[in-house]
Amino acid sequence: MSTIQRVSVIGAGTMGAGIAQVLAHSGCAVKLIDIKEDLVKKGIAGIGASLDRMVKKELISAEQKQETLGRVRAETRLEGVIGSEMVIEAINENLDLKTRVWKEAAVHAGETAILATNTSSISITTLAATIPGPKRFIGMHFMNPVPVMKLVEVIRGLETDDATTTTTMELCRGLGKTPVEVNDYPGFVSNRILMPMINEAVYCVMEGVAAKEAIDEVMKLGMAHPMGPLALADLIGLDVCLSIMEVLHRDLGDSKYRPCPLLRKMVSAGRLGKKSGRGFYEYAS
Ligand code: NAD
């Protein structure tokens, strides 16, 4: 049983809402913070819809749904983190933005709170160096969709201490997840391996190696992947995929991580995948 009971989640998008949901479902009091009220409301509506699906599948009762929603409080200011034992940040994958938010949130959170980022690729050590008390800073990389996926990649920065790691691993287990501890290198383990595969699939589309459906089918049927790399890219968000490839390319300095020009073009056009209604595939709203 985790000792953590009060958690703030910064960012109410795809990941932040999912993280808030699993925390609230496990009994934690959650403050969900975004820059505008309508964004937090959208996040909470998403949690409601996800819980409705669980009720329909008889995984939880209607009463449990209401109890879970009742544990999530909407906030629009970073001061909202005051009083939380842990702060989990899930804002956009951008180093400058994350640095700015952490500088402010770490001060409000106080010295004893554990500070965790859900970054997919940004250096934990670099982010930790910008805040007071880097030993309590850690990477907590949930997978998408958070309520469904078992893995949390727990990433130790250079300064992260054992107590922070142990408490974070315990919290993950309390959420019904399986934490796996890794060290801080660009992309960690998950995206160091996954993103170059997705990027290569986009090159296959660009070069006309096969139709997008065919590429996904090869990887599903031939490699026993539950979904194809292009459908997965749409689910993750093409902007997120591009940001991660840029981090791998810049920080590892190897041309094999060069983001595919077609990926860049699609992001420039606003074809971000499922969240924008169109990526490699089209989605009804
Ligand atoms: P998203 O675009 O869906 O949501 C980001 C949210 O952060 C938005 O609602 C935005 O308004 C909010 N935000 C931006 N600045 C803020 C601020 N100053 N204060 C409060 N909120 C702010 O992004 P996402 O897909 O949820 O990704 C969030 C993080 O999780 C990223 O670091 C990403 O790399 C990581 N991640 C994403 C996935 C995925 O599949 N999408 C998987 C694992 C990890």
Side-chain angles (χ1 to χ4, degrees), residues 10-17 33-36 39 78 89-94 97-98 100-101 117-122 141-144 191 235-237 239-240 244 275:
I10 308 176
T14 311
M15 297 305 288
I33 305 171
D34 210 303
I35 39 182
K36 286 191 190 137
L39 291 170
L78 286 177
E89 166 269 310
I91 65 170
N92 308 64
E93 187 75 349
N94 176 298
L97 181 65
K98 284 193 194 284
R100 232 180 320 120
V101 165
T117 176
N118 185 51
T119 180
S120 308
S121 61
I122 294 171
H141 185 204
F142 288 85
M143 304 292 129
N144 184 14
N191 284 319
L235 179 71
I236 293 169
D239 51 337
V240 177
I244 297 169
K275 63 182 163 189

Side-chain angles (χ1 to χ4, degrees), residues 41 132 202:
K41 278 193 181 152
V202 185

